[in-house]
Amino acid sequence: MIFKILQVTFILFIPLFSKWLTRRGYVPVWLSPAVICYATGILIITFQPFPVDRVLARSLSEVGILFAIPLLLYSTNLLHWMRYAKSSLLGFFICALSGFIGVSVAAYFFKDRIDEIWKIAGMLYGVYTGGTANMQAVGIALQTQESNFVLLNAADVFTCGIYLLFLTSVAHHFFGLFLRKFDGVTNPLESLYQEKGQFKWADSLKGIGLTIGIVALSLGITWLIFGNITQATVLLLLLNTLSIAASFSKTIRHWQGTFETGEYFLLAFCVAVGMLADFKQILLEGGNMITFVAFALSATIFMNVVLSSLFNIDRDTMIITHTAGIYGPPFVGQVATAIGNRELIFSGMAMGLLGFALGNYCGIGLAYFLKWLLY
């Protein structure tokens, strides 16, 4: 019991510590809170300073993502952003289309080598549309085997970790060989999410309360339709849809603190998921999985560059759009700083939040499309 309490304590407090380190400037700019949280979880599972309960880590990651996605979405103003961000939307569409093609092609070649490939492909496409948070949500919805989730998560952390190093080092020069330079003209985005004001605990608690209500309503509707609450796909889609619907309320959008609260739950999710990324296991059992993920990521990157060139998307927009799609909002500032273009941070955050909103639909949709196509 003492080790479980210690594990929960790490998951709850590492996010706060990582934010404090970043705020005080004690870590380099490329080391974002999300990276710190992931790395801490990975180090714990790798070196085992205390016994790690995988079931507990998986359960807490699920709770974290169930709370994070609604809270991050409440403050969004999606209709406003979609009216003005035409080029950013095009970049996001290219990112999503590239992921669809890359993951689908990889799934075709690996269909006889990996069990549940259609589910795994759907989870991976959720990642390439809205970040790792969507992998967890899609995995819950598709009721993926625990062993496959662990292997996929470790393979994704490994490959995307290498790609992140590339994005923060030589990617700006490399992609410049194929794409035009950024012209310095950004879209007239006024607000995707409300301007951050003073954090209000009352509003944060309202957001948590609303999230609990939405989860309960989603469970209730699922039970009324199916007579049980085991239909995870429907449950997750209901949760996602109701959260987006709540964001249309001006009152809810103006609650101050819901985004930051959602960010905290997202970082806690990162610590818990990091505890599931056991590289020892993937070295022993996951050769096919890591090859599949590396193939899918490479194909996705290749298609993104080709389509961005065809549609005249500039180098910086492509990099930030892809960062937002694959890694989500927490990593946008890190990459934007590395390529020397902070003008696109807001737009990148916007696209990352849009990915959060759409990634579950995309991942689940691709999974069932591949199930029909491949079997």
Side-chain angles (χ1 to χ4, degrees):
M1 179 61 69
I2 185 68
F3 295 120
K4 289 185 178 180
I5 294 174
L6 186 59
Q7 184 176 349
V8 172
T9 301
F10 268 95
I11 292 172
L12 292 178
F13 287 99
I14 289 299
L16 300 175
F17 183 61
S18 67
K19 295 285 286 185
W20 179 80
L21 287 175
T22 306
R23 203 164 44 241
R24 292 297 184 92
Y26 291 152
V27 293
V29 293
W30 58 267
L31 198 60
S32 68
V35 173
I36 295 172
C37 289
Y38 269 124
T40 302
I42 292 169
L43 289 172
I44 289 173
I45 189 64
T46 301
F47 295 102
Q48 298 263 353
F50 57 86
V52 175
D53 187 326
R54 290 180 178 276
V55 175
L56 178 61
R58 178 75 184 267
S59 298
L60 290 176
S61 69
E62 291 174 356
V63 171
I65 206 57
L66 287 176
F67 275 79
I69 291 179
L71 285 162
L72 288 169
L73 291 175
Y74 292 152
S75 54
T76 60
N77 192 341
L78 293 176
L79 289 179
H80 179 88
W81 183 68
M82 292 176 73
R83 279 201 304 268
Y84 291 100
K86 293 182 180 178
S87 63
S88 296
L89 274 173
L90 178 59
F92 178 82
F93 173 77
I94 288 173
C95 178
L97 180 59
S98 301
F100 180 91
I101 296 171
V103 173
S104 297
V105 171
Y108 174 79
F109 284 108
F110 284 80
K111 65 180 184 296
D112 298 323
R113 297 168 60 183
I114 298 178
D115 187 35
E116 289 191 330
I117 189 64
W118 63 279
K119 293 182 180 181
I120 291 169
M123 293 169 65
L124 195 61
Y125 186 43
V127 175
Y128 294 170
T129 309
T132 306
N134 292 101
M135 177 202 287
Q136 179 79 346
V138 174
I140 296 170
L142 298 177
Q143 298 179 320
T144 307
Q145 294 178 16
E146 173 73 18
S147 58
N148 280 336
F149 173 82
V150 171
L151 289 175
L152 178 62
N153 177 62
D156 176 64
V157 170
F158 178 74
T159 55
C160 285
I162 294 174
Y163 186 46
L164 183 63
L165 291 175
F166 174 73
L167 286 173
T168 54
S169 55
V170 301
H172 197 238
H173 298 290
F174 178 76
F175 289 133
L177 299 175
F178 312 101
L179 303 174
R180 66 179 178 86
K181 293 182 179 180
F182 178 69
D183 57 16
V185 178
T186 56
N187 294 301
L189 297 177
E190 293 179 16
S191 177
L192 168 67
Y193 55 88
Q194 297 301 317
E195 292 281 338
K196 287 187 180 181
Q198 184 178 2
F199 182 91
K200 293 184 178 179
W201 281 103
D203 287 349
S204 174
L205 292 174
K206 288 178 187 176
I208 293 174
L210 177 60
T211 300
I212 294 173
I214 286 178
V215 171
L217 181 58
S218 300
L219 289 168
I221 294 174
T222 304
W223 184 83
L224 286 173
I225 295 174
F226 298 99
N228 58 65
I229 57 174
T230 61
Q231 301 294 325
T233 301
V234 176
L235 176 62
L236 263 295
L237 292 178
L238 280 170
L239 179 70
N240 216 70
T241 302
L242 291 173
S243 301
I244 294 172
S247 73
F248 285 90
S249 167
K250 187 175 181 180
T251 299
I252 293 174
R253 282 205 310 272
H254 282 81
W255 285 346
Q256 295 181 7
T258 57
F259 185 89
E260 292 85 349
T261 306
E263 193 175 35
Y264 167 78
F265 280 107
L266 181 63
L267 292 174
F269 158 82
C270 290
V271 180
V273 167
M275 290 182 178
L276 297 172
D278 190 345
F279 292 130
K280 294 178 182 177
Q281 183 176 359
I282 198 170
L283 289 174
L284 293 173
E285 306 174 20
N288 283 334
M289 186 69 76
I290 199 167
T291 305
F292 163 71
V293 174
F295 185 106
L297 179 60
S298 300
T300 298
I301 296 168
F302 174 76
M303 289 305 307
N304 204 345
V305 174
V306 171
L307 292 174
S308 294
S309 179
L310 288 175
F311 286 93
N312 199 32
I313 299 295
D314 67 86
R315 168 183 58 186
D316 291 12
T317 299
M318 177 266 170
I319 291 174
I320 295 300
T321 305
H322 211 203
T323 300
I326 292 180
Y327 301 98
F331 292 84
V332 169
Q334 173 184 351
V335 174
T337 300
I339 68 173
N341 189 345
R342 298 195 178 195
E343 289 184 68
L344 292 175
I345 289 179
F346 182 88
S347 183
M349 290 286 291
M351 289 181 285
L353 289 173
L354 186 62
F356 271 134
L358 301 180
N360 294 338
Y361 303 106
C362 292
I364 293 169
L366 177 66
Y368 282 105
F369 168 74
L370 289 175
K371 183 181 181 181
W372 167 80
L373 183 67
L374 301 178
Y375 300 97

